């Protein structure tokens, strides 16, 4: 389907984006690794809706574009000093040093990683992910506890769900009706707004297992802007979905 090219003025920068009409029901914005921005809207939606949406998401779009130009398309992640890595939605520069015990410390905009062999990239990755996991277990567990208190009147179980933390390739989270939730450790890398999106999504599944209207009604009750948050998260890693 043909796409129009539109522009949005964001502070001193012009965001050029393709407007594409599709059979989808909601509006979405995508920033591709080559720097192309695409806004998809339902077939009959007015263009003004896309314009308002781009205005609302412009900070995020500019942030993604900056990342495209600094990383180039499809550049693989390298775990060595000078590379940039996300934590809690912020980019930090990795600084690898010889040190024991192996650990990670945040210092300003640096992620300082101490390990027994800084030249061993796999070891560095392992130390970094151990730290991500510790942070996930602490902060995501907190978010689940908080949201469970808020939502418990709507949930079928009288106790908070069991939690598991895993590194998953395709999903941000999953849930079983036996009152247990798995969360992707990698979620900790992105904006806490996205943590809440996945936590609320999985908690809603404890009551409504499918993705029908009842599910989205429940989502909207607790997180009215869940769509924007979901698009933000999808933009960070398109291989994974909120399941
Ligand atoms: Zn789901």
């Amino acid at each position: 389907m043909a796409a129009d090219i539109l522009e949005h003025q964001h502070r001193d920068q012009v965001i050029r984006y393709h407007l594409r009409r599709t059979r989808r029901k909601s509006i979405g914005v995508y920033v591709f690794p080559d720097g192309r921005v695409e806004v998809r809207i339902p077939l009959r939606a007015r263009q003004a809706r896309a314009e308002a949406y781009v205005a609302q998401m412009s900070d995020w779009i500019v942030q993604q574009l900056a990342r495209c130009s600094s990383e180039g398309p499809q550049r693989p992640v390298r775990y060595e000093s000078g590379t940039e890595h996300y934590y809690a939605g912020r980019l930090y520069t990795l600084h690898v040093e010889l040190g024991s015990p192996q650990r990670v410390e945040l210092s300003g905009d640096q992620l300082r990683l101490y390990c027994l062999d800084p030249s061993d990239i796999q070891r560095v990755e392992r130390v970094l992910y151990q730290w991500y996991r510790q942070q996930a277990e602490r902060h995501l567990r907190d978010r689940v506890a908080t949201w469970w208190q808020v939502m418990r009147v709507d949930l079928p179980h009288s106790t908070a769900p069991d939690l598991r933390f895993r590194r998953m390739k395709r999903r941000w989270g999953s849930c079983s009706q036996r009152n247990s939730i798995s969360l992707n450790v990698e979620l900790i890398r992105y904006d806490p707004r996205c943590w809440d999106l996945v936590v609320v999504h999985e908690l809603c599944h404890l009551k409504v297992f499918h993705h029908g209207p009842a599910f989205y009604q429940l989502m909207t009750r607790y997180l009215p802007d869940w769509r924007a948050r979901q698009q933000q998260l999808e933009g960070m890693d398109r291989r994974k979905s909120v399941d």
Side-chain angles (χ1 to χ4, degrees), residues 173 201-202 205 209-211 215-216 242-243:
H201 184 110
E202 301 307 336
H205 272 319
F209 212 58
H210 54 71
H211 286 144
F215 177 82
Y216 290 111
V242 182
D243 210 353

Side-chain angles (χ1 to χ4, degrees), residues 17-226:
Y17 61 97
H18 297 251
L19 183 67
R20 188 174 287 269
R21 294 180 181 277
T22 67
R23 291 189 178 278
R24 61 185 288 151
K25 291 205 173 92
S26 58
I27 187 161
V29 58
Y30 300 84
V31 178
F32 295 101
D34 63 0
R36 196 164 56 89
V37 181
E38 192 174 280
V39 177
R40 296 180 191 162
I41 60 172
L43 289 172
R44 282 180 233 292
R46 290 182 309 125
Q47 184 174 314
R49 241 187 100 191
E51 289 167 356
Y53 192 71
V54 170
Q56 182 195 332
M57 297 293 285
S58 53
D59 275 323
W60 177 80
I61 295 170
V62 166
Q63 200 184 332
Q64 298 306 302
L65 285 171
R67 213 179 144 222
C68 292
S69 57
S70 67
E71 290 187 358
Q74 309 293 341
R75 188 170 155 195
V77 181
R78 304 272 304 170
Y79 296 94
E80 57 194 17
S81 286
T83 54
E84 291 187 308
H85 300 268
Y86 277 101
Y87 170 65
R90 277 190 58 194
L91 266 178
Y92 292 86
T93 304
L94 181 65
H95 192 88
V96 185
E97 283 175 54
L98 184 67
S100 173
Q102 300 191 121
R103 66 194 185 277
V104 172
E105 291 169 4
L106 288 180
S107 166
D109 59 359
Q110 283 197 343
L111 231 153
R112 302 186 80 85
L113 186 148
Y114 299 87
C115 85
L116 295 171
D117 182 0
S119 66
D120 180 348
I121 286 176
Q122 281 172 341
R123 181 192 286 268
V124 172
E125 179 182 2
R126 216 160 46 234
V127 173
L128 180 59
Y129 268 87
Q130 268 163 12
W131 181 74
Y132 276 147
R133 177 179 288 271
Q134 287 163 3
Q135 303 311 309
E137 291 195 0
R138 191 163 113 214
H139 297 295
L140 299 181
R141 195 176 288 285
D142 268 6
R143 303 311 296 164
V144 172
T146 302
W147 279 107
W148 187 77
Q149 286 299 338
V150 172
M151 296 171 66
R152 60 188 297 182
V153 288
D154 271 320
L155 300 181
H157 305 280
S158 58
T159 54
D162 288 333
L163 281 182
R164 290 193 186 90
F165 295 90
R166 299 194 288 148
R167 209 174 156 185
M168 294 181 267
K169 279 208 167 76
R170 307 249 165 236
R171 314 155 107 186
W172 289 113
S174 65
C175 131
S176 106
Q177 279 181 319
R178 290 186 305 258
N179 204 21
S180 102
I181 286 177
S182 292
L183 295 173
N184 196 330
V185 167
E186 294 202 35
L187 194 52
I188 202 70
R189 299 170 63 203
Y190 302 117
D191 193 327
R193 284 168 44 83
C194 301
W195 306 352
D196 288 342
L197 168 80
V198 177
V199 166
V200 173
H201 184 110
E202 301 307 336
L203 285 171
C204 285
H205 272 319
L206 293 175
K207 179 172 188 185
V208 186
F209 212 58
H210 54 71
H211 286 144
F215 177 82
Y216 290 111
Q217 207 171 19
L218 199 57
M219 276 300 288
T220 303
R221 183 180 314 160
Y222 289 107
L223 219 52
D225 65 345
W226 63 266

